[in-house]
Amino acid sequence: MNLNYIILRNLKKNIKNYYLYVFALIFSVALYFSFVTLQYDPAMDEVSGSIKGGAAIGASSVLLVAIVAIFLLYANTIFIKRRSKEIGLFQLIGLTKTRIFALLSAENLILYFGSLFIGIGAGFVMSRLILMILFKILEIDQLAALRFSPEALMQTVLVFAAVYVLIMIMNYTFIRAQSILSLFKTTSTSQGMVKKMPLWEIIMGLLGIGFIAAGYYVSSQLFSGKFSDMNGLMLAMIIILALVIAGTYLFYKGSVSFIFNLIRKRKKGYLSINEVLSLSSIMFRMKSNALLLTVITTVSALAIGLLSLSYISYYSVETSARESSPHDFGFVMKEAGSDFVQALDQKKIGYTVLEIPTVRVKLDLGEVLVSSTFPDYDTSLEATVISDSSLEGMDVQPGDVMITGYTHTLQTMLKLKDSGEVDFYTKDGIMKQQLNGLSEKPVLPYSYGGGVIGVFVVDESVFKELTAHQDPNLQYKKPGSGNYRGIVLKNRSQVKEAYEIYLEQKPEFPSFSQYEFEFNQRTNMGLIMFIVGFLGLTFLITSGCILYFKQMDESEEEREGYTILRKLGFTQGDLLRGIQFKQLFNFGIPLVVGLCHSYFAVKSGWFFFGTEMLTPMFVVMAVYTVLYSIFGLLSVLYYKRVIRESL
C-alpha cells in the first residue's frame, strides 16, 4: 500500500463529510470570480454616480475574501480535529508527521483546487447573470455580455492560493503540536458537559438579557433629543454596540442554559425524549460555542441591517425624489425655464406650468415645538412662505398658516403641534399667525423652498402683506429668483426625452429634475444593495455551513447515545422528532437574536434612508430566514442518517 493509494482512499472515504464544504468553496470562488469579473468589465462604466461602480465592486471583493478566508480556516479547523484519531493511527503504523502532513496536503490540494477551478467556471457563467441582475436593479437598458477576464482569473487564483497556504500552515502547526495520546483525546474534549449550573453562570445569564435590553433601549432613544451633540451621539452608538455584543455573548454563555434550566426544574426532571434530545443537549453545548455564535449573530444582524437600510432607500426612491423635487422639472431663473419650455414645444411634449411666487421670512416656532432631536435647537429660523392661491385646492383662512412638506424625517427629528401660534418677523414688526394643520405633501424642491421645517402656506392677503414688508437681506439675491416655476409633464413616459433636453441646456442652478434625483438615488442605493446583498448571501452560506459542521460533530459524538436509545425501544421517528426540536433551537436562536438586533438597529434611524420601513425590512428578513432554514433542514437530514446507522 503506497501513499498515493492512501490519499485516494481517504479522499473517497471522507467525501461524504466534505460535500457541503466543497459546495461552499465552489460557491465562494464563483461569487468572488464574478465580482472581480464585474470590476474589470467595461460595462461597469455605465454604473456610475456618486459611487464608481468598478471601485465599489473592488472594495466589496476585499470584504468577500475576508469572509471566505475566515470560513475556510474555521472549517479546516473542524475537519482536522475530526480526523485527529485517523492522524493518530497513521502515527501508530509508523508514518512520520511530515509524511502525514504531505498526505493531508495532497488530499486538500485535490479537493481545494478542484473546487477552485469548478468555482471559476461557475463564476464565469454566473457573471453574466449577476450583471443582468445589477442592470435590472439599476434599470440600465444595456445588454449584459459574457466576457472572460484574464485579470479576474489571475486575481482569483492568487487570492485562494494564499488562503490554501494559510490552511496548510494551520494543518502543519496542528500536527506538529499534537502527541499521539492528545490526538485520540481531541474530539472527546472538544465539548464540555456541565452537570450543575453554578451561581456565576446564572448571574451571567441575567446580565446577558439585561445588557441586550439596555442596548435596545438606548438605541430607541438615539434620536429622541437626549443626546445633545455629535460626541454624545457617537458615545451612545459605542455604548449600544458594546452592550449588544457583550449581551449576546453572555446570552449564549449563560442565558440559554439559565432559561432551559428553569424549564427543566419546572418539570421536576421528568423530561420527554424530545426534551432530552433538544433542551438538555442545547443548554450544555451552546455555551461552549458562545464566541462563535456571537460572531455569527453580530455579523448576521449587521448584514440584515445594512441590506434593510439600503433596500429601504431603494424602495423609497420615487417618494424621496418627489420630496426633493415635487414637479418633473423646476426652475428659479425665468430665462432658463422659458428656454426649456420652448424646447418642449418643439419636441411636442405636453406639459403644465405652475407659477409659485415665494418670499423668505424669519419666524419663531417656540409655541408649537413639542420636541427636537437636538435639545439646543433654535426655534427662530428662516423659512419660505407661499400663498394658498398658488396651490390647487388649498384654502387657508386669513390669520392661519399651514406647513407643507413636513416629511416623516422632519416629524421624527422636530415634532410639532398641529395648532398654536407662529410669529412672523417683518422689517416693520411681528405678524402673529395660528398654525392650522401639517401636511407631508411637498410643494417646492427641498433644497430651494423646504428650508429646515417645510414650506409655510398663508392666505393671499397675508402673503401680499409679507411681501410688502419683506426683509431684503433674507431674499435670494439673483434677479427673478423669488418666483418658482414648476413643470409637470402630461405624459410621464416622455420624461427621459425631456430630461435629455434638460441636460443639453445645462440650466443654471438652482434648477431641479425629479428624474435626476430618482436616477442618482437608484444608481447609488441599488449598487449598495447589490453589493451588501451578495456579501450577506456569502456570509449566510458560510455561517450556515459552519453551524452545519458543528452539528455533524455533535451527531457523531452522540451516536453511541442514539444506539442505546434505539436498543431501549425508541424508534427512529421518536429520536428524529427530538432532533427536529434541537435544530429548531440550534439554528433558530441565533437567527431570532440576529433578527431582533437588526430590527432595533434599523428602527433607530431608518427615517434617514427612506419613507417606508416595515415592508422592505420584513422582505429582507423573510428571504434571510428561508435561506438560513435550509441549513437547519440539512442538519436534520444528516442526523436522520446517523440515527438510522446507529443500530
Side-chain angles (χ1 to χ4, degrees), residues 70-123:
I70 292 171
F71 159 68
L72 292 176
L73 292 172
Y74 186 84
N76 181 73
T77 302
I78 293 176
F79 283 116
I80 196 70
K81 286 184 177 179
R82 288 191 66 185
R83 300 185 66 180
S84 58
K85 289 184 179 179
E86 182 181 341
I87 295 171
L89 288 173
F90 283 146
Q91 290 192 42
L92 284 177
I93 63 174
L95 288 178
T96 63
K97 290 184 177 182
T98 303
R99 296 273 287 179
I100 295 171
F101 171 71
L103 186 150
L104 294 180
S105 298
E107 283 185 30
N108 275 280
L109 186 69
I110 297 170
L111 199 66
Y112 188 90
F113 283 95
S115 302
L116 175 64
F117 287 106
I118 292 173
I120 289 173

Side-chain angles (χ1 to χ4, degrees), residues 275-343:
E275 292 163 340
V276 169
L277 294 175
S278 56
L279 301 185
S280 298
S281 176
I282 291 170
M283 66 183 294
F284 293 130
R285 287 187 180 273
M286 192 162 278
K287 69 184 71 172
S288 63
N289 299 324
L291 182 60
L292 170 67
L293 292 173
T294 300
V295 173
I296 290 176
T297 301
T298 304
V299 181
S300 294
L302 181 64
I304 296 171
L306 290 176
L307 186 55
S308 296
L309 291 175
S310 59
Y311 188 41
I312 284 171
S313 185
Y314 183 83
Y315 187 85
S316 308
V317 161
E318 294 183 4
T319 305
S320 299
R322 284 194 294 270
E323 289 180 356
S324 299
S325 180
H327 310 110
D328 290 319
F329 300 93
F331 299 91
V332 176
M333 307 305 294
K334 288 186 176 180
E335 295 78 8
S338 300
D339 294 340
F340 182 71
V341 166
Q342 291 177 6

Side-chain angles (χ1 to χ4, degrees), residues 357-365 377-386 401-405 410 414 416 422-426 444-458 463 466-467 470-471 473-476 482:
T358 67
V359 61
R360 297 284 295 176
V361 177
K362 189 173 183 179
L363 51 84
D364 194 316
L365 296 173
Y377 176 72
D378 187 1
T379 58
S380 179
L381 67 150
E382 296 178 12
T384 298
V385 181
I386 65 174
V401 60
M402 183 176 180
I403 300 178
T404 64
L410 291 173
L414 295 170
L416 301 177
V422 179
D423 295 336
F424 288 85
Y425 297 95
T426 68
L444 290 176
Y446 180 79
S447 59
Y448 171 71
V452 177
I453 200 67
V455 176
F456 290 73
V457 185
V458 297
F463 179 77
L466 288 171
T467 303
Q470 64 181 307
D471 185 347
N473 295 323
L474 299 178
Q475 309 312 309
Y476 294 108

Side-chain angles (χ1 to χ4, degrees), residues 27-158:
F27 176 83
S28 301
V29 172
L31 196 57
Y32 180 78
F33 182 75
S34 301
F35 259 69
V36 181
T37 300
L38 290 185
Q39 182 182 355
Y40 294 107
D41 197 315
M44 288 304 294
D45 293 338
E46 295 290 325
V47 185
S48 60
S50 62
I51 299 175
K52 184 65 179 173
I57 295 293
S60 67
S61 66
V62 176
L63 293 175
L64 186 61
V65 167
I67 294 172
V68 172
I70 292 171
F71 159 68
L72 292 176
L73 292 172
Y74 186 84
N76 181 73
T77 302
I78 293 176
F79 283 116
I80 196 70
K81 286 184 177 179
R82 288 191 66 185
R83 300 185 66 180
S84 58
K85 289 184 179 179
E86 182 181 341
I87 295 171
L89 288 173
F90 283 146
Q91 290 192 42
L92 284 177
I93 63 174
L95 288 178
T96 63
K97 290 184 177 182
T98 303
R99 296 273 287 179
I100 295 171
F101 171 71
L103 186 150
L104 294 180
S105 298
E107 283 185 30
N108 275 280
L109 186 69
I110 297 170
L111 199 66
Y112 188 90
F113 283 95
S115 302
L116 175 64
F117 287 106
I118 292 173
I120 289 173
F124 174 63
V125 176
M126 283 174 55
S127 61
R128 184 171 184 269
L129 175 61
I130 292 176
L131 190 60
M132 289 171 61
I133 293 171
L134 179 59
F135 283 171
K136 180 67 175 177
I137 292 173
L138 303 183
E139 297 186 3
I140 294 176
D141 188 14
Q142 180 174 328
L143 182 65
L146 189 63
R147 296 183 178 91
F148 184 80
S149 171
E151 296 91 345
L153 174 63
M154 182 64 66
Q155 187 170 324
T156 303
V157 172
L158 288 176

Side-chain angles (χ1 to χ4, degrees), residues 18 33 75 91 119 128 148 233 270 324 437 439 469 520 543 547:
Y18 280 105
F33 182 75
Q91 290 192 42
R128 184 171 184 269
F148 184 80
L233 203 60
Y270 295 100
S324 299
S439 172
H469 299 87
N520 289 339
S543 61
L547 290 178

Side-chain angles (χ1 to χ4, degrees), residues 337-619:
S338 300
D339 294 340
F340 182 71
V341 166
Q342 291 177 6
L344 291 180
D345 290 334
Q346 292 176 1
K347 294 289 186 178
K348 296 182 180 181
I349 299 176
Y351 60 88
T352 302
V353 178
L354 303 174
E355 299 284 353
I356 304 178
T358 67
V359 61
R360 297 284 295 176
V361 177
K362 189 173 183 179
L363 51 84
D364 194 316
L365 296 173
E367 295 296 324
V368 296
L369 182 64
V370 177
S371 63
S372 169
T373 298
F374 310 101
D376 298 329
Y377 176 72
D378 187 1
T379 58
S380 179
L381 67 150
E382 296 178 12
T384 298
V385 181
I386 65 174
S387 169
D388 60 350
S389 62
S390 301
L391 303 176
E392 185 178 350
M394 179 74 71
D395 184 17
V396 179
Q397 298 300 314
D400 287 348
V401 60
M402 183 176 180
I403 300 178
T404 64
Y406 184 51
T407 62
H408 184 82
T409 302
L410 291 173
Q411 294 172 33
T412 305
M413 302 183 69
L414 295 170
K415 188 172 181 59
L416 301 177
K417 302 175 185 176
D418 56 5
S419 63
E421 190 176 273
V422 179
D423 295 336
F424 288 85
Y425 297 95
T426 68
K427 65 178 182 179
D428 300 318
I430 299 176
M431 291 180 61
K432 294 185 178 294
Q433 302 288 308
Q434 286 294 320
L435 181 61
N436 188 20
L438 303 168
S439 172
E440 294 187 20
K441 183 180 179 181
V443 295
L444 290 176
Y446 180 79
S447 59
Y448 171 71
V452 177
I453 200 67
V455 176
F456 290 73
V457 185
V458 297
D459 181 70
E460 175 68 18
S461 61
V462 177
F463 179 77
K464 289 180 178 179
E465 189 174 352
L466 288 171
T467 303
H469 299 87
Q470 64 181 307
D471 185 347
N473 295 323
L474 299 178
Q475 309 312 309
Y476 294 108
K477 303 304 179 185
K478 291 186 178 181
S481 60
N483 293 305
Y484 171 79
R485 174 180 288 185
I487 296 175
V488 180
L489 301 182
K490 292 182 178 180
N491 187 353
R492 181 67 179 170
S493 64
Q494 295 179 300
V495 66
K496 288 186 178 180
E497 186 179 356
Y499 180 64
E500 290 177 1
I501 297 172
Y502 175 84
L503 290 179
E504 288 174 2
Q505 293 192 352
K506 297 180 180 178
E508 185 180 355
F509 182 84
S511 60
F512 311 94
S513 167
Q514 186 183 116
Y515 178 80
E516 186 173 58
F517 282 113
E518 183 179 335
F519 177 79
N520 289 339
Q521 185 170 349
R522 178 177 286 111
T523 299
N524 292 338
M525 299 316 301
L527 182 59
I528 291 173
M529 185 177 70
F530 172 81
I531 291 172
V532 173
F534 274 90
L535 289 177
L537 180 62
T538 305
F539 177 77
L540 171 67
I541 296 292
T542 54
S543 61
C545 286
I546 287 173
L547 290 178
Y548 176 80
F549 296 153
K550 295 296 291 183
Q551 294 310 303
M552 289 173 61
D553 268 354
E554 291 183 13
S555 67
E556 294 299 330
E557 290 180 23
E558 295 169 357
R559 183 186 290 268
E560 293 181 3
Y562 299 145
T563 302
I564 294 172
L565 290 172
R566 291 289 305 280
K567 288 180 177 179
L568 289 175
F570 290 101
T571 64
Q572 292 185 33
D574 294 333
L575 300 184
L576 192 60
R577 281 190 291 273
I579 294 302
Q580 289 169 347
F581 277 109
K582 177 183 177 181
Q583 299 315 312
L584 182 64
F585 288 121
N586 271 327
F587 287 86
I589 290 175
L591 176 63
V592 171
V593 175
L595 292 177
C596 288
H597 288 355
S598 61
Y599 172 79
F600 281 95
V602 171
K603 189 174 182 294
S604 65
W606 70 272
F607 42 83
F608 289 113
F609 294 84
T611 58
E612 175 68 32
M613 181 189 81
L614 294 180
T615 300
M617 185 173 64
F618 286 157
V619 168

Side-chain angles (χ1 to χ4, degrees), residues 207-227:
L207 282 175
I209 297 173
F211 282 178
I212 293 174
Y216 289 170
Y217 174 75
V218 177
S219 71
S220 67
Q221 302 298 311
L222 203 56
F223 297 101
S224 65
K226 294 186 177 181
F227 305 100

